[in-house]
Amino acid sequence: MDRFATLEPVKLYNSSSTFKASSRNSRLPSAKAPAPFQIIGRLPVDIHILILTYLSVPDLSAYSRASKAFANLAKDERVWEVRWNHFTSHSPNLPTVLDDLENRSKAQNGLLKENAPPTLAVDAEDDFGEFTSVNAPKDEMGDFVGAFPPHAVHSPLPDASFPPKPNYRSQYVRAHTLLKPLLSALSGAPHAVLSTLFPSPSPSLSHQAHTLRVLSSFLSFRVKPVREWQNLSSALRAAKDRFDDGLMTAFDTSDSKNDEANMKETSQASWDIWDGPPDRWELARAWADKREIFYDQSKWDPLENFTEDGQLDFDAMDAFMGHVLRALEEHGTRAVNVFPPEAGVLLAFAERLAHEIAEYIASLLDRAREISNEMFLKAAAGSFKEAWRLVDATFKVASTRSDAAITQTQAEDVVYRMFESNMDEYLDEEVEFINQSFDAICRTWEKQLSERATIPAPTADHARFLSSHNPAQVKRTVLASFTDVLLLPVTIVPRTVGHVGKAVNAAFTTGSSAAVQGISMLNPQRWGAPSARDGYIQDFEKGNAGMLFEIGGDEDDEEDIQEKGGTSSRPTSMSMHSTSNSISSTLGDSSSQRSTRQSSTTSTGVTTPAPSASASTASFDKMELLLSLDIALELIHADREALKRVETFIGYPGHYGHRVRDTIEEIFVLLLQALGERHIRPGFERATDQMRAYHPEEHEESQSVAPLLQFFELAHVGDTMQSMIQVYFDKELASHIDRTDFLNTVVREKKRFEDILDDCVAAGMNAGTDALMNQVEHVILRLTKPREYYPAEDAAMDLGPTQGCQEAIKCLGMHCQLLKGSTSKEVLEVFYQEIGIRLIAILQKHIKRQIISLNGGFQIIADLNAYYTFIASLKVPTIAAEFSYLKMLGHVYVVEDAKDLAQIVRDVTRYGGAYRPEDVYEFIQRRSDWKKIEKTVDKTMYNLSFKEDCIIS
């Protein structure tokens, strides 16, 4: 049963006291390094190791003599790893220097080997035994000699067939042994340090620089090879300065002789011993300070960029930048050839040139700011564009050397950092200026609109959207030309035409003027008399206003129509003229209209009525002038100029890059707000108010609804504005924003702008529909004769629609046709449905006013058939069904038998539920024979007779 004895708990780790006792009594070396959680004394092992990394090398022997555990910690790889990594990280050429020193030491030891005294073999595993040698001087390793008892050296040597793997401690011991003899030279006279370190024959400059750099890392505070490392480090620093001064003198001498090979060797040696930041390298700074480009700034006056009349002319800055770029190419090429790529001398030289350019630009912008804010904005964008030439030149020079450590981004950052001091002011001023420009444009338009009544009248008519046979094609042509104008360049760097660059500069000037002139010509206000030429005509060189495009008609067809005595409702062509400043507006009369109004047009396109017309008619004729494509185009042009200026800085990184993109969005948002809130909404609101004030009885001579016609024209203009905004957005803004981000400010504001236009058109269409149906009702009442549906018995029967019906349908058809092409199919369907519903109500009311005989019933049916045909042509099924029931309702006036009539009235399924028997009963009461058939109809319908079934008490 003993084998089933209970197990007792076993301690997995010794206590701290047991560990300390075993550490004191054990004479065998530890097989493994102590774990960090073990305790030595009162501190854990990792704290001891951290302390050891800060001790000097001689102090490690004193630490290791405290106990065997401390001696083991002194040999721990973690202690020497930190020291060795710091040593090598600051000495990239350490292996080469150590190999050279070892080769020299072997050569010297070979000569002294025969006379050397015998040495004492030391166990490799002994504590710091490698540091002990009878050949070493007494003070070579300080307290390391004799620091351990004799028994430590009697352990057997390791097997030679398995050499020990090199570790951090052994690597450092090798470096320490080779570099320690060189420290004695630092204790001598300062002027003799270099000659002692590098006796004749002197090694190469590269070897001397590498050795000094290794010694500098060796005597650092993280290595501390000896106790007096601070004094030796100061002496070494003085020797390095003396060495660097000699290199600088040699470099200047080689520079004066254009000896690039010697310059390259000297600069490489100076760079190897330089332990400061690259931009503070003294040799490169001294070389750059001697370039003449930094001392001839007095030759260039920034104020020469302004003409006598205060305009910008960047020919002076162009010459200045050419001088700077030539200096960069000359001196930068040499810098790339002679300086180490990692020193970044070319980049530092370009930054110094950028500083000179910044001083030039600062004076230029100060003067531009004194002239005007617009001048400051143009000067800022233009000067940045000119300074950007430094980027291309820098990268071009750097590309001449394959290992040049300069990227395109680094070259761009030079100019970006140079211009950063102006960015905050520029972006703020750009937004403020464009806001003021929009406000001034809108105020000017409002003032012109208020003074519209005082404009004199010209003699020529002007074409409009509605008078064209295809308004949609007119808009497509306008937008196509507008797109072409958007592709014209915007001048960022203003220049005058010189003798050398005449062709290029002329292109800049012509492009800018063409953009302004082209945009001003894109306006129906400027379309007028037909031209003998078709197609696109551009004449920007003469300086006068030419035609940007024309829409030609078929002149032969027009002549044929005139020979037949007809009147064409479409013009032969549309051309753009610069003598008009506003939309021309004339109500063209079609061949089907019975009356003609003579009107005269003002010089700005305002149609004034004939003397017989009322004052209210004149106001209706001016309704389309409440919106102006000129204003929209002027706003877009101002916005595009600002956008192109800001786009100059679109590549800015970091904070200013975000600000530039925010400014681009804000500029477009301001455009939408100015066009929507300051121009479109007020214009449509005034138009809606005018339509509500329209009374058809005051316009007996007109068969059309003047305010609705003008509103259709206004809707065409508004739709064209929205299309122009969409084109501008697609061409200029879409690349700067995420169109799928519904939270984006531009996307939301653009949707709001479209909603404003839709709401304005909807409100106007509602008021216009009221005016149209009032006109239709007025036409029906005015042209319906008193006995139209109760003719005499011997009167001739004409089964065609009445004149009132024909004119009402013509009025509706004309206005419905004009709406096509200016709005979407959905809006058209809603408009047609609203017209149908209101027309049914008008016709029902009209029928209930009449007295209708049997012969007149056929006339009613003819009219209802005509109305149904018109409604069916609109292709709105729901309304067409309603009118089919209304058409069937006319049959109640041609049924002679009263009982049959009563059965028709009682048939609730006959009209599809559109009319109840009570409703039909009201209509049959308008029959001329109603008094005769009333009793029979009542009895048949309700099976009662008032005389028999009703008791009057």
Side-chain angles (χ1 to χ4, degrees):
M1 298 296 291
D2 293 339
R3 55 180 176 177
F4 298 105
T6 305
L7 295 177
E8 296 181 358
V10 179
K11 293 183 179 180
L12 298 179
Y13 303 102
N14 293 330
S15 63
S16 59
S17 60
T18 305
F19 178 77
K20 289 187 287 184
S22 61
S23 299
R24 288 194 298 268
N25 299 329
S26 177
R27 297 295 183 177
L28 297 177
S30 176
K32 293 183 179 180
F37 54 81
Q38 292 179 343
I39 303 298
I40 300 179
R42 295 182 178 274
L43 299 176
V45 170
D46 53 354
I47 299 298
H48 284 280
I49 292 176
L50 181 61
I51 295 173
L52 288 175
T53 58
Y54 287 95
L55 290 179
S56 63
V57 173
D59 292 334
L60 291 177
S61 61
Y63 182 87
S64 63
R65 288 197 298 267
S67 68
K68 185 63 176 180
F70 284 2
N72 291 335
L73 285 180
K75 293 190 300 181
D76 194 290
E77 284 296 306
R78 289 171 288 183
V79 176
W80 299 98
E81 180 182 4
V82 175
R83 199 178 302 269
W84 179 256
N85 287 339
H86 179 80
F87 191 12
T88 56
S89 64
H90 292 79
S91 304
N93 299 294
L94 178 60
T96 304
V97 174
L98 293 181
D99 291 341
D100 292 343
L101 291 176
E102 189 172 27
N103 292 334
R104 289 172 55 187
S105 177
K106 288 181 179 180
Q108 294 177 1
N109 291 337
L111 297 176
L112 301 176
K113 186 176 181 181
E114 296 178 356
N115 300 327
T119 58
L120 176 65
V122 180
D123 186 2
E125 293 297 328
D126 192 12
D127 297 319
F128 298 94
E130 299 89 337
F131 289 75
T132 306
S133 175
V134 296
N135 289 331
K138 179 63 178 177
D139 60 347
E140 182 179 2
M141 293 303 297
D143 295 338
F144 279 26
V145 178
F148 300 97
H151 65 78
V153 300
H154 295 299
S155 58
L157 294 175
D159 189 355
S161 61
F162 297 97
K165 184 178 180 180
N167 51 29
Y168 294 109
R169 183 172 181 272
S170 62
Q171 291 177 6
Y172 175 78
V173 168
R174 174 175 177 266
H176 186 100
T177 304
L178 294 174
L179 294 176
K180 184 63 165 48
L182 301 180
L183 300 183
S184 59
L186 301 177
S187 301
H191 63 277
V193 172
L194 294 177
S195 60
T196 306
L197 284 175
F198 311 111
S200 297
S202 299
S204 64
L205 293 177
S206 177
H207 176 76
Q208 296 180 42
H210 294 166
T211 303
L212 292 174
R213 182 63 178 268
V214 169
L215 287 175
S216 178
S217 300
F218 187 58
L219 294 174
S220 63
F221 75 100
R222 296 304 299 270
V223 179
K224 300 178 183 178
V226 293
R227 286 191 174 90
E228 62 273 12
W229 67 272
Q230 291 180 328
N231 296 331
L232 296 178
S233 179
S234 300
L236 179 63
R237 190 178 302 111
K240 288 172 56 180
D241 293 341
R242 190 173 291 105
F243 180 74
D244 196 32
D245 292 341
L247 293 177
M248 192 175 300
T249 303
F251 184 86
D252 292 341
T253 303
S254 302
D255 188 17
S256 61
K257 297 179 181 179
N258 294 325
D259 186 0
E260 292 189 357
N262 195 19
M263 291 173 65
K264 184 176 182 179
E265 181 184 7
T266 307
S267 64
Q268 183 65 52
S270 177
W271 174 250
D272 288 338
I273 66 170
W274 178 255
D275 53 3
D279 58 339
R280 305 294 296 176
W281 186 21
E282 294 182 359
L283 181 65
R285 289 166 60 92
W287 171 82
D289 289 340
K290 296 181 180 179
R291 304 306 101 186
E292 296 181 0
I293 182 67
F294 301 115
Y295 305 101
D296 59 357
Q297 298 303 314
S298 58
K299 300 179 182 179
W300 311 100
D301 184 10
L303 301 184
E304 292 181 356
N305 292 280
F306 297 92
T307 60
E308 295 181 356
D309 56 351
Q311 298 300 318
L312 279 174
D313 175 14
F314 269 25
D315 287 344
M317 186 172 183
D318 188 62
F320 169 72
M321 286 301 303
H323 174 69
V324 172
L325 297 182
R326 286 191 297 272
L328 176 63
E329 183 177 1
E330 176 186 357
H331 302 300
T333 303
R334 171 161 291 186
V336 170
N337 292 333
V338 304
F339 291 108
E342 59 272 15
V345 177
L346 175 61
L347 203 61
F349 184 68
E351 288 180 350
R352 290 199 59 175
L353 291 177
H355 179 71
E356 300 297 325
I357 298 174
E359 293 182 354
Y360 185 94
I361 292 177
S363 302
L364 173 64
L365 296 183
D366 289 341
R367 175 56 182 162
R369 192 181 296 104
E370 294 174 357
I371 298 177
S372 66
N373 289 339
E374 182 180 10
M375 193 66 63
F376 168 76
L377 299 176
K378 292 181 178 179
S383 59
F384 180 82
K385 195 72 173 178
E386 280 286 331
W388 191 257
R389 297 166 60 188
L390 185 68
V391 175
D392 300 331
T394 302
F395 193 71
K396 179 181 178 181
V397 172
S399 62
T400 58
R401 182 169 177 174
S402 59
D403 59 346
I406 293 182
T407 63
Q408 179 73 21
T409 302
Q410 290 176 322
E412 293 175 355
D413 289 343
V414 171
V415 178
Y416 286 141
R417 286 193 297 268
M418 177 269 294
F419 207 81
E420 271 187 0
S421 58
N422 304 309
M423 286 302 296
D424 285 323
E425 181 180 8
Y426 166 75
L427 295 176
D428 293 339
E429 289 291 338
E430 192 70 76
V431 174
E432 182 178 357
F433 174 75
I434 195 64
N435 201 7
Q436 292 175 354
S437 299
F438 290 160
D439 183 70
I441 293 172
C442 293
R443 286 181 181 273
T444 302
W445 167 251
E446 293 168 358
K447 182 179 179 181
Q448 292 178 357
L449 200 62
S450 63
E451 298 174 354
R452 188 72 70 183
T454 62
I455 300 176
T459 57
D461 289 340
H462 293 266
R464 304 173 306 151
F465 281 106
L466 298 184
S467 58
S468 172
H469 69 287
N470 192 347
Q473 180 61 36
V474 173
K475 275 188 284 190
R476 284 194 294 270
T477 306
V478 171
L479 295 178
S481 301
F482 176 71
T483 304
D484 294 337
V485 170
L486 286 180
L487 297 178
L488 294 174
V490 174
T491 302
I492 300 298
V493 182
R495 296 188 179 98
T496 57
V497 179
H499 297 287
V500 178
K502 182 176 182 180
V504 176
N505 295 336
F508 275 97
T509 306
T510 303
S512 178
S513 61
V516 177
Q517 183 176 355
I519 287 180
S520 65
M521 302 304 292
L522 277 175
N523 198 338
Q525 301 176 21
R526 303 175 184 270
W527 302 346
S531 172
R533 297 178 298 168
D534 295 333
Y536 289 84
I537 302 175
Q538 300 188 15
D539 188 10
F540 298 127
E541 298 179 356
K542 297 181 180 180
N544 55 356
M547 290 175 289
L548 185 63
F549 68 87
E550 297 173 357
I551 304 176
D554 191 343
E555 296 180 0
D556 297 336
D557 295 343
E558 189 72 12
E559 292 175 357
D560 294 340
I561 294 175
Q562 292 178 358
E563 290 177 359
K564 294 178 182 179
T567 303
S568 174
S569 61
R570 61 182 178 92
T572 59
S573 67
M574 283 191 180
S575 59
M576 304 182 68
H577 292 268
S578 60
T579 56
S580 176
N581 295 323
S582 60
I583 303 175
S584 55
S585 59
T586 56
L587 288 175
D589 298 331
S590 63
S591 59
S592 61
Q593 292 175 341
R594 300 181 181 273
S595 60
T596 305
R597 292 188 299 157
Q598 300 295 331
S599 62
S600 59
T601 309
T602 65
S603 61
T604 58
V606 179
T607 301
T608 56
S612 61
S614 63
S616 60
T617 304
S619 66
F620 297 140
D621 289 343
K622 298 177 184 179
M623 184 184 296
E624 65 182 14
L625 298 177
L626 296 176
L627 293 184
S628 171
L629 285 181
D630 265 343
I631 298 300
L633 293 165
E634 191 173 355
L635 291 173
I636 293 175
H637 179 61
D639 188 87
R640 183 170 180 257
E641 283 189 342
L643 176 64
K644 291 302 180 182
R645 287 194 298 265
V646 180
E647 278 184 347
T648 308
F649 308 93
I650 193 60
Y652 245 101
H655 167 70
Y656 288 108
H658 291 293
R659 280 211 60 189
V660 168
R661 286 183 284 273
D662 291 343
T663 302
I664 289 177
E665 294 181 1
E666 187 173 0
I667 287 175
F668 185 71
V669 167
L670 291 175
L671 168 66
L672 297 178
Q673 292 176 349
L675 185 59
E677 297 289 349
R678 298 289 302 276
H679 190 65
I680 291 180
R681 186 189 292 276
F684 273 97
E685 287 178 351
R686 292 184 62 178
T688 302
D689 293 339
Q690 290 184 11
M691 284 191 293
R692 289 170 179 163
Y694 178 78
H695 299 290
E697 60 273 9
E698 299 177 359
H699 307 276
E700 297 288 346
E701 76 285 353
S702 175
Q703 300 298 323
S704 62
V705 182
L708 186 57
L709 288 175
Q710 295 298 311
F711 184 79
F712 286 161
E713 183 73 21
L714 199 67
H716 277 288
V717 176
D719 184 67
T720 305
M721 289 181 179
Q722 180 178 351
S723 300
M724 289 163 54
I725 290 294
Q726 184 64 45
V727 171
Y728 178 61
F729 174 80
D730 294 337
K731 293 291 184 181
E732 305 290 351
L733 266 297
S735 60
H736 300 301
I737 66 170
D738 182 7
R739 304 176 67 170
T740 61
D741 183 9
F742 63 93
L743 295 178
N744 183 270
T745 305
V746 172
V747 176
R748 292 170 59 188
E749 191 64 31
K750 183 172 175 291
K751 182 64 170 62
R752 180 172 173 270
F753 170 79
E754 295 169 353
D755 291 341
I756 288 176
L757 183 59
D758 292 342
D759 293 343
C760 290
V761 172
M765 290 300 297
N766 186 47
T769 303
D770 291 339
L772 174 61
M773 301 316 296
N774 291 337
Q775 176 74 15
V776 169
E777 185 175 11
H778 177 72
V779 168
I780 293 175
L781 292 177
R782 182 169 60 86
L783 297 180
T784 300
K785 300 175 182 178
R787 297 181 63 90
E788 193 77 69
Y789 303 111
Y790 190 19
E793 294 294 335
D794 56 349
M797 294 287 294
D798 184 8
L799 296 182
T802 61
Q803 181 183 2
C805 174
Q806 293 177 0
E807 294 300 327
I809 292 176
K810 288 179 181 179
C811 180
L812 288 173
M814 178 185 63
H815 291 87
C816 290
Q817 183 66 27
L818 291 176
L819 190 60
K820 290 183 179 180
S822 63
T823 185
S824 63
K825 180 180 179 181
E826 293 76 11
V827 175
L828 277 176
E829 184 174 345
V830 173
F831 178 69
Y832 294 159
Q833 187 172 1
E834 187 67 22
I835 286 179
I837 294 174
R838 299 191 187 191
L839 181 59
I840 286 179
I842 291 174
L843 294 179
Q844 290 175 354
K845 186 191 301 183
H846 177 64
I847 292 174
K848 292 178 181 180
R849 291 194 190 103
Q850 309 300 320
I851 298 177
I852 306 169
S853 63
L854 290 177
N855 292 336
F858 292 102
Q859 190 64 58
I860 282 286
I861 293 176
D863 286 353
L864 293 179
N865 287 336
Y867 285 121
Y868 172 78
T869 303
F870 166 72
I871 292 298
S873 66
L874 300 181
K875 298 180 180 180
V876 182
T878 56
I879 299 302
E882 295 290 335
F883 269 85
S884 66
Y885 299 139
L886 180 63
K887 181 180 65 172
M888 294 174 61
L889 185 63
H891 297 166
V892 300
Y893 298 106
V894 295
V895 176
E896 295 184 7
D897 187 72
K899 293 183 179 181
D900 295 338
L901 180 62
Q903 294 297 330
I904 293 175
V905 175
R906 292 181 59 183
D907 188 359
V908 295
T909 62
R910 182 179 180 85
Y911 304 103
Y915 298 99
R916 300 173 300 171
E918 293 82 358
D919 299 329
V920 180
Y921 188 83
E922 292 182 5
F923 283 102
I924 64 176
Q925 290 179 356
R926 307 312 303 168
R927 290 172 59 111
S928 60
D929 58 350
W930 174 246
K931 294 298 182 181
K932 298 179 181 179
I933 65 175
E934 179 181 6
K935 295 179 181 180
T936 305
V937 171
D938 290 342
K939 184 175 182 180
T940 305
M941 287 183 60
Y942 305 110
N943 294 322
L944 57 84
S945 174
F946 287 106
K947 293 183 178 180
E948 299 175 357
D949 299 334
C950 295
I951 300 175
I952 301 176
S953 59

